[in-house]
Amino acid sequence: MTATMADVAREAGVSASTVSRVFSLPETVRDDTRQRVLAVARRLDFTPNRAASSLARGRTRTLGLLVPDVVNPYYAEIVKTVQHRARAKDHALFLADTGDDPADGFELARAMARQTDGLLLAGPRMTDDMVRELARSGPVALIGAQLAETDSAYAELSTGMRHVVRHLAALGHSRIVYVNGTRTARTVGHRRPVQEVCDEYGVELVEQLGPFDLTFDNGVAAADLVPTSRATAVIAHNEMVAHGVAYGLARQGRSVPGDFSLVTVDDTFMARTIHPALTALHIPIDVMGARGVDLLLQRIADPDAEPRHAALPTSLVVRASTGRPGGGAAS
């Protein structure tokens, strides 16, 4: 016969509500009492009904994750790490691809919020006001983006861009072109400091190309404009764009890094599989996704806490796509 919560409570000398809290809110139960209840539960082979417990507390034990492009390897890696972390925290995950339209993403997020305990917005294309409205209605955390009033886990890109520019300047590049992302991408604001870094190192930043939607085809289109910039190095907004730039330059009969050095931001597996392998500003996607889940669960447990922000360091990974102007190898 299967043991019940009442059986555990009777054997442990506590109330049924205490047994329930041991399995649902263990931090609210004294350690000695919690250990006694767990010992009895193991002896009786008691397994709590998590679904019933969640319903009793008004919880679904599910989280919603919204990404703008699930095909993009950057977001695919976020999905993987978020799902892994959510599962480790005993939560299921609902996934939605919002596309680039802010209004569509907002409506999809509102619908998902009614079915989950909280929302994770990865690189949301929504406006700040839309994100704030969602956060006023329920728990929300951002991944790969930052908003002062909302919990967020993001890469500290200003310092990373400094490393990129310093690397290119050390190779002898004095003119750099930056292939910009769509203006609805919230990370654009974090990458604008590249102008300040160029000024500091005496490097001319050619008028930024874009904004472009973050696709391979738009990278190809940007490549058509690169030679007219008279720059010798290109920084691409992300890997999808960088792949398109490399392909477009090759189609013109130009080489990387012989004619143009190329740096990307993200550093998923794609940076290593293209030829030549891409020098990249590495973003710790696995850590960022996991921290986003943790922040959201903390928000669910404590809705009135001050917003928490996790700024994660980036690092420059030098590969074969950067060299000296005129084709000299990087040392």
Side-chain angles (χ1 to χ4, degrees), residues 31-202:
D31 185 64
D32 58 339
T33 301
R34 184 172 66 251
Q35 295 304 324
R36 186 169 74 253
V37 169
L38 291 173
V40 170
R42 285 193 295 269
R43 179 162 55 82
L44 297 180
D45 196 25
F46 169 73
T47 303
N49 185 330
R50 295 190 181 276
S53 176
S54 296
L55 288 173
R57 290 180 287 121
R59 302 273 180 85
T60 65
R61 299 196 75 81
T62 60
L63 307 177
L65 171 63
L66 295 97
V67 300
D69 182 7
V70 74
V71 175
N72 185 319
Y74 171 81
Y75 291 110
E77 287 200 13
I78 287 179
V79 171
K80 181 177 180 179
T81 192
V82 165
Q83 180 172 289
H84 179 78
R85 187 65 169 181
R87 185 185 299 122
K89 294 293 185 177
D90 198 27
H91 281 68
L93 187 70
F94 287 167
L95 173 66
D97 186 321
T98 65
D100 280 329
D101 185 86
D104 287 348
F106 179 64
E107 290 304 319
L108 188 54
R110 291 207 303 179
M112 185 175 281
R114 293 192 287 269
Q115 306 172 56
T116 61
D117 294 336
L119 298 179
L120 292 158
L121 308 179
R125 304 303 194 240
M126 290 171 247
T127 66
D128 288 353
D129 285 342
M130 288 175 177
V131 174
R132 292 186 185 103
E133 183 172 340
L134 290 172
R136 284 194 294 268
S137 303
V140 170
L142 302 179
I143 297 176
Q146 182 185 14
L147 188 61
E149 306 95 319
T150 308
D151 299 318
S152 53
Y154 58 95
E156 204 293 287
L157 289 169
S158 295
T159 300
M161 285 299 188
R162 180 179 301 274
H163 295 324
V164 170
V165 174
R166 183 169 58 191
H167 169 66
L168 293 173
L171 290 173
H173 296 280
S174 59
R175 289 173 64 85
I176 298 173
V177 63
Y178 179 55
V179 181
N180 207 359
T182 172
R183 296 194 189 281
T184 58
R186 302 177 61 80
T187 51
V188 168
H190 294 296
R191 298 179 189 190
R192 286 175 184 153
V194 69
Q195 176 68 70
E196 298 175 6
V197 183
C198 283
D199 292 342
E200 180 179 340
Y201 283 94

Side-chain angles (χ1 to χ4, degrees), residues 172-260:
H173 296 280
S174 59
R175 289 173 64 85
I176 298 173
V177 63
Y178 179 55
V179 181
N180 207 359
T182 172
R183 296 194 189 281
T184 58
R186 302 177 61 80
T187 51
V188 168
H190 294 296
R191 298 179 189 190
R192 286 175 184 153
V194 69
Q195 176 68 70
E196 298 175 6
V197 183
C198 283
D199 292 342
E200 180 179 340
Y201 283 94
V203 173
E204 182 180 359
L205 182 66
V206 182
E207 183 177 354
Q208 299 183 13
L209 302 183
F212 292 96
D213 288 338
L214 306 181
T215 65
F216 175 86
D217 287 342
N218 281 320
V220 175
D224 290 337
L225 305 176
V226 167
T228 63
S229 70
R230 294 185 293 112
T232 57
V234 181
I235 301 174
H237 186 89
N238 75 349
E239 285 178 346
M240 299 288 281
V241 172
H243 272 238
V245 169
Y247 177 83
L249 291 174
R251 195 171 62 176
Q252 300 170 27
R254 304 175 190 273
S255 68
V256 173
D259 295 306
F260 297 96

